[in-house]
């Protein structure tokens, strides 16, 4: 299960302390302008060592595109890419060779495969998300043609959270602080909390909110192909993710239908809704409104303080971790959430039945016919 998607697919490879992280993207529509600077900028948002709040591991994370591109455009053939690892400190992990770290994948990998790479988590490391960001950047370039945009931001760190609807914030300010929060005041408090937690050798979790704008009506399939299920599966596949909700999510449980039903109205000949509690998805299919969801991340499992555990023989031991680690993964995970959302939307879009496009007597249908040659 190293491949994501059905028509727009990503197959990844690599380990945290291996030679490189890489992947193959297949199903990229032909004729899309490939902006290498944009792809690299997305990787820069994810890379380690970008601020005092992240791991001090220094990696350039320079992407090399190996195939599927000719004269600056996608050819429709598989796009292979690699990002070389350059700053591994594998010796820092030697004491973990026979010890299971609490809340890590060490025990489960060892039990399932009978072998594991203990250096930085190996295949289970969050460094593997590099491949997702590259694929997501490619998907974003294709979605631009359709006017579909994706924006995520940090909405909570620990007990510090934004208390307003996403529409009340200027999301263009998201990249103005190290935690990627569009509220400068709350962002400063989040930074202080992460700094404090880091000084204590501890970690803290948080929440990322993501908004997808410009999706037409009709993306997603009923029953087992629901759009929100696909987005949920994509988000829950990201390292450290423990929760997903779209629209009003768990808040629905305490409400009445009269409070949260999205009423239909006709505005200048276009059917729309007066509210968007549904999060842009009804019956598993996009309804033309903004799609928004929240993804919860657990505190990073690696603590720079002693923890009780056992070794591979079951003997009790005290674990003291060395190495370079994030006290909070959330700021660096923002571009990863965006990437998986973009890959999911493009994959779902390509899965739409072609006859359905006859329902669109507008610019979107014409763009689709031009871009995907259907």
């Amino acid at each position: 299960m190293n491949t994501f998607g059905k028509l727009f697919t990503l197959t990844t490879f690599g380990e945290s302390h291996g030679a490189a992280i890489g992947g193959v993207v297949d199903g990229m529509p032909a004729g899309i302008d490939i902006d290498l600077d944009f792809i690299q900028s997305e990787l820069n948002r994810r890379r380690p060592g970008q601020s005092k709040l992240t791991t001090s591991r220094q990696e350039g994370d320079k992407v090399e595109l190996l195939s599927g591109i000719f004269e600056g455009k996608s050819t429709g053939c598989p796009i292979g890419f690699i990002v070389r690892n350059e700053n591994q400190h594998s010796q820092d992990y030697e004491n973990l060779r026979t010890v299971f770290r609490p809340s890590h994948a060490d025990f489960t990998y060892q039990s399932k495969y009978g072998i594991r790479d203990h250096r930085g988590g190996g295949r289970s490391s969050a460094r593997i998300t590099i491949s997702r960001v590259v694929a997501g950047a490619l998907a974003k370039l294709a979605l631009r043609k359709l006017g579909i945009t994706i924006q995520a931001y940090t909405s909570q760190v620990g007990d510090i959270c934004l208390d307003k609807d996403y529409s009340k914030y200027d999301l263009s300010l998201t990249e103005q602080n190290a935690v990627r929060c569009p509220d400068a005041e709350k962002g400063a408090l989040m930074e202080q909390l992460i700094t404090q937690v880091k000084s204590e050798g501890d970690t803290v979790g948080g929440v990322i909110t993501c908004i997808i704008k410009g999706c037409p009506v009709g993306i997603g399939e009923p029953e087992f192909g629901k759009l929100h299920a696909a987005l949920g599966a994509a988000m829950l596949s990201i390292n450290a993710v423990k929760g997903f909700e779209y629209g009003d999510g768990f808040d629905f449980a305490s409400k009445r239908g009269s409070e949260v039903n999205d009423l239909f109205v006709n505005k200048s000949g276009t059917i729309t809704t007066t509210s968007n509690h549904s999060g842009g998805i009804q019956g598993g299919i996009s309804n033309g409104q903004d799609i928004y969801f929240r993804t919860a991340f657990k505190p990073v499992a690696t603590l720079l303080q002693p923890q009780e555990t056992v070794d591979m023989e079951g003997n009790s031991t005290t674990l003291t971790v060395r190495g370079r680690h994030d006290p909070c993964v959330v700021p660096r995970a923002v571009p990863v959430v965006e990437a998986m959302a973009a890959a999911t939307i493009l994959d779902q879009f390509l899965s739409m039945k072609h006859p359905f496009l006859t329902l669109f007597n507008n610019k979107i249908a014409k763009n689709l016919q031009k871009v995907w040659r259907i």
Side-chain angles (χ1 to χ4, degrees):
M1 298 298 294
N2 296 298
T3 299
F4 168 87
K6 296 180 179 179
L7 294 181
F8 178 83
T9 66
L10 166 67
T11 300
T12 73
F13 64 83
E15 295 83 33
S16 177
H17 286 233
I21 306 297
V24 176
V25 169
D26 203 0
M28 180 71 175
I32 303 298
D33 292 326
I34 302 301
D35 185 343
L36 183 57
D37 289 338
F38 171 72
I39 297 172
Q40 187 60 56
S41 70
E42 293 291 272
L43 280 172
N44 291 345
R45 295 170 67 208
R46 193 225 70 95
R47 74 176 180 84
Q50 60 185 272
S51 79
K52 63 181 181 180
L53 303 180
T54 69
T55 170
S56 60
R57 179 172 177 170
Q58 293 295 323
E59 294 280 1
D61 285 355
K62 299 298 182 183
V63 64
E64 301 175 42
L65 301 180
L66 307 177
S67 62
I69 298 168
F70 180 67
E71 296 183 342
K73 294 183 181 293
S74 57
T75 64
C77 299
I79 299 176
F81 62 88
I82 60 171
V83 173
R84 301 181 188 278
N85 292 327
E86 300 173 334
N87 191 229
Q88 310 96 311
H89 288 180
S90 299
Q91 67 276 6
D92 289 345
Y93 299 88
E94 189 57 33
N95 66 320
L96 304 179
R97 181 181 291 273
T98 61
V99 175
F100 295 136
R101 294 170 297 172
S103 290
H104 276 276
D106 299 347
F107 172 73
T108 50
Y109 267 55
Q110 187 71 41
S111 298
K112 182 177 178 67
Y113 299 109
I115 187 173
R116 65 183 174 90
D117 185 346
H118 65 281
R119 303 167 303 169
R123 183 66 174 160
S124 68
S125 169
R127 185 153 178 77
I128 309 305
T129 58
I130 283 175
S131 297
R132 299 169 183 242
V133 172
V134 174
L138 290 168
K140 283 184 177 181
L141 292 174
L143 293 175
R144 279 181 185 177
K145 293 285 188 178
L146 303 170
I148 297 174
T149 62
I150 296 169
Q151 170 81 65
Y153 62 90
T154 298
S155 55
Q156 181 174 344
V157 172
D159 59 358
I160 302 170
C161 60
L162 303 188
D163 53 7
K164 299 177 183 177
D165 180 88
Y166 71 87
S167 63
K168 304 301 182 182
Y169 295 100
D170 181 356
L171 300 187
S172 67
L173 301 177
T174 298
E175 297 292 323
Q176 298 302 308
N177 54 65
V179 290
R180 297 197 163 91
C181 175
D183 183 312
E185 183 176 342
K186 288 291 182 68
L189 293 175
M190 292 175 182
E191 287 190 42
Q192 291 174 16
L193 176 58
I194 296 174
T195 300
Q196 175 190 337
V197 166
K198 181 179 181 180
S199 69
E200 297 169 353
D202 212 336
T203 62
V204 66
V207 175
I208 292 174
T209 297
C210 185
I211 303 96
I212 305 170
K213 292 180 174 290
C215 279
V217 181
I219 300 179
E221 302 292 335
E223 197 58 16
F224 299 114
K226 291 181 171 64
L227 178 57
H228 59 266
L231 285 168
M235 296 307 132
L236 290 165
S237 74
I238 299 172
N239 307 60
V241 169
K242 290 297 184 180
F244 171 85
E245 65 173 2
Y246 74 102
D248 283 4
F250 282 93
D251 286 344
F252 277 123
S254 60
K255 302 291 185 179
R256 297 189 179 188
S258 57
E259 296 177 280
V260 295
N261 276 358
D262 295 318
L263 305 181
F264 288 104
V265 294
N266 187 327
K267 288 187 177 181
S268 303
T270 300
I271 296 177
T272 184
T273 57
T274 58
S275 58
N276 189 21
H277 299 288
S278 301
I281 303 172
Q282 293 171 326
I285 301 171
S286 61
N287 67 3
Q289 301 297 313
D290 291 350
I291 296 171
Y292 65 93
F293 60 84
R294 301 171 74 239
T295 304
F297 287 77
K298 71 174 184 177
V300 176
T302 301
L303 310 184
L304 297 182
Q305 55 184 248
Q307 293 186 87
E308 299 303 312
T309 187
V310 299
D311 62 21
M312 292 171 58
E313 302 299 323
N315 301 310
S316 297
T317 185
T318 299
L319 172 65
T320 301
V321 174
R322 298 188 296 272
R324 302 159 295 176
H325 309 280
D326 287 278
C328 179
V329 74
V330 175
R332 291 178 59 208
V334 169
V336 181
V337 167
E338 290 180 2
M340 293 306 295
T344 300
I345 294 298
L346 180 56
D347 187 45
Q348 291 283 315
F349 212 110
L350 293 174
S351 299
M352 290 172 65
K353 304 298 186 293
H354 292 176
F356 182 80
L357 299 182
T358 61
L359 298 177
F360 290 95
N361 184 22
N362 55 27
K363 183 178 179 180
I364 291 177
K366 295 176 182 178
N367 283 346
L368 285 175
Q369 291 167 357
K370 179 181 179 181
V371 175
W372 275 282
R373 297 178 175 84
I374 56 177

